Amino acid sequence: MHKINLSIKNYREIQRKSLELALAYNETLEGWSAALDLRDRETEGHTLRVTEMAVTLGRKFNLNDEELVEIRRGSLLHDIGKIGIPDNILLKPGPLSEEEWKIMKTHPQIAYRLLSPIRYLKNSLDIPHYHHEKWDGSGYPYGLKEKEIPLAARIFSIADVYDAITSDRPYRKKMQAKEALDYIKSQSGSHFDPEVVNKFIELLNT
C-alpha cells in the first residue's frame, strides 16, 4: 500500500512539473511575440488578438485540443522570422523597393530555420512558415495553392489580415467591421480558402 501511495505521489509530482514547464514555455512564447510586435511597430496587442481569433476559428473546424495548442504557438510566433530582416527594411516608412521586398519575403523561411531545431515547436511551424501563401498560388515564399497550404496557415491568414485592416496604422486608418468583412469576402477564392471564409463569417455572426 505504501508503494502505491508513493507511486501516486510521484505521478502527481511529475504532472505538476510538466504543467509548470508548459506554462513557462507559453509565457516565453508570449514574451517573444510581444517583443516582435514592438520591433515591427505593430498595433499593440496584435499578436495576442490574432492568436485568440485563430484558435477560436480553429474550433469551427472541430480541431482537437492538441491541434489548437499548435495553432496558438504558431500564431504567437507567426512573424518571428522578421528578427532576421534588417531594420532599414523592416522599419522603412515608405514603400519597399523590389530588392527590399525580396528580402522581406524571406522571413517565413528564416522562421523555419529558427524554429525547426526546437523539438517543443516541431508541430507549430505551419503558421510561421506558410501564413503568407495564398489560395490561388500567388503568395510566398513557395507559391503553394489551395490545400497544399496547411489548414492552420489558411485559418491564421484570415485572422491576421482581418486584425491588420481593422487596426489603425501610421500610414492609414482602420476599416470599420462591415467594410473589413466585405474585403475578406472579396478575397475568397483568391487570397483565402473559401471554406475558411465561410467559417470566419459564421464566427463573426455568433
Side-chain angles (χ1 to χ4, degrees), residues 65 117 151 153:
D65 288 346
L151 177 60

Side-chain angles (χ1 to χ4, degrees), residues 59-121:
R59 291 194 181 100
K60 289 281 187 181
F61 286 85
N62 297 316
L63 300 183
N64 62 41
D65 288 346
E66 185 176 336
E67 290 168 323
L68 293 173
V69 166
E70 301 305 343
I71 283 183
R72 176 175 173 76
R73 291 172 183 162
S75 298
L76 287 171
L77 297 172
H78 72 281
D79 271 344
I80 195 169
K82 288 182 178 177
I83 200 169
I85 303 299
D87 283 352
N88 66 304
I89 295 176
L90 185 67
L91 307 179
K92 185 176 180 179
L96 298 181
S97 68
E98 183 177 346
E99 190 59 35
E100 288 168 336
W101 261 117
K102 286 181 182 178
I103 295 170
M104 178 65 84
K105 289 179 178 181
T106 65
H107 78 265
Q109 293 156 309
I110 295 171
Y112 182 81
R113 291 199 299 271
L114 284 171
L115 300 177
S116 58
I118 304 173
R119 285 186 299 169
Y120 173 73
L121 298 173

Side-chain angles (χ1 to χ4, degrees), residues 158 161-167 174-187 192 200-201 204:
I158 287 188
V161 170
Y162 184 81
D163 186 80
I165 63 180
T166 55
S167 299
K174 67 181 181 181
M175 290 184 185
Q176 296 303 309
K178 184 181 183 306
E179 182 184 7
L181 185 56
D182 286 343
Y183 175 78
I184 296 293
K185 291 176 181 177
S186 76
Q187 295 298 303
F192 305 123
F200 185 70
I201 294 169
L204 293 187

Side-chain angles (χ1 to χ4, degrees), residues 79 82 107-108 127 129-134 138-141 160:
D79 271 344
K82 288 182 178 177
H107 78 265
I127 290 173
H129 202 187
Y130 301 117
H131 73 283
H132 284 295
E133 300 289 354
K134 296 182 179 181
S138 65
Y140 66 90
D160 191 35

